Amino acid sequence: MAHIKQTERSRRRAGTSMRRALRREAPSTVGLLVDAEDFAAMRHYRTFTFEDHAVYLQQVEGLLRTLAAQGMHTTVALFDPEDYAEFCAESGLEPDERTSRSRFTAEIAAAGATVAYTGQPIDTLIPLLVSRAVRRATWEYATMLLAGLGDCAACGQDIGRAAFDRASHLLMRLLDTAGPGTHHLVCSTPTENEQLLAVLHTARDMDGPARLASSEGAEFATVLAVGVALETQGGVVLRTTAPGAPDRVHGWRLHRGALLPLTAGEVFSAYCTDADTGEPVSPESGVEYCAGFDIGADEPEAHH
């Protein structure tokens, strides 16, 4: 009998150990209310028991540290109260339930903006998460615009797809021609309702191709494609950093599916003017404002 009990205890310990191992391999997601306004909106729910946003952020940071100490991979997702209310209404869920918040967090982790927790302070994590959310919203809006353009009446081509292909070609030619260094690109494309901005960071060695994340490349190309398709007055600015040399800033304007180089004076004016007020901004020390260079991209075969 004692032997049987000992065997049963060993089995239970083994089962507990395996469950702990599996728990460490199961990723976790934490939904984060980044500002006081969103926090206040959630306080209307009885089951949301936090009373102070600063204390809430401290507790979230503590939770993230605990999960990391347990060897678990954790992502942080932007929790939007309005989106949560809509999700509950569409799914038939009671919003004043913890399980509903958990389901919503799982949904936004699968399809929304997230940031992997790697030990960064909460004050660093929040701007990263907000920036990621803005980028994703911009991408989704630009994708929707392209998808709604339909087919070209002259040739039957999907206008949005053709514009994206053209924008991807322009981007790759720009990166190929930029040469070695760390590159920071910004694309600005005005639309009827929004000023779309896309940012891309990439690096290139002396001999290798440019390295960029596929998602960032797709976001940048999509925003540029809107300018190609709608023939808006869009533009691209490239800032290159290389060891032992001042930063160089180049610029181009988008015109009928091509990127036309700006002069050095135009680049200086664009970079040293406040976009909101139009007031001049002091130029940065150690930065050269240069004319855009020819990226060698062929002209579009046909204009639609």
Side-chain angles (χ1 to χ4, degrees), residues 95-165:
D96 200 359
E97 293 286 350
R98 294 183 176 88
T99 54
S100 299
R101 293 196 288 274
S102 296
R103 280 190 57 179
F104 177 69
T105 300
E107 290 284 337
I108 56 177
T114 61
V115 171
Y117 178 71
T118 58
Q120 59 269 63
I122 197 75
D123 290 342
T124 302
L125 188 64
I126 288 175
L128 286 175
L129 186 58
V130 172
S131 175
R132 187 71 53 84
V134 170
R135 277 178 43 203
R136 186 171 186 89
T138 299
W139 186 18
E140 290 175 350
Y141 179 70
T143 301
M144 180 189 68
L145 285 178
L146 293 176
L149 295 176
D151 297 334
C152 175
C155 69
Q157 229 181 355
D158 184 306
I159 297 174
R161 169 52 61 183
F164 182 82
D165 290 343

Side-chain angles (χ1 to χ4, degrees), residues 66-82:
T66 299
L67 294 173
Q70 295 172 353
M72 297 176 59
H73 175 74
T74 306
T75 56
V76 182
L78 185 70
F79 196 106
D80 185 281
E82 291 185 5

Side-chain angles (χ1 to χ4, degrees), residues 12 35 49 64 91 95 111 124 132 138 145 153 164 169 175 186 190 239 244 250 285 303:
R12 285 198 297 268
D35 59 41
T49 56
L64 293 172
S91 305
T124 302
R132 187 71 53 84
T138 299
L145 285 178
F164 182 82
H169 173 69
L175 294 176
V186 178
R239 179 167 180 160
H250 303 269
S285 176
H303 176 66

Side-chain angles (χ1 to χ4, degrees), residues 13 16-17 59 74 122 133 142 151 172 177 181 188 202 211 245 263 275 291 299 304:
R13 284 196 296 268
T16 300
S17 178
Q59 292 299 316
T74 306
I122 197 75
D151 297 334
M172 295 314 299
T177 313
S188 175
T202 182
R211 303 186 301 272
T263 67
E299 294 295 323
H304 302 279

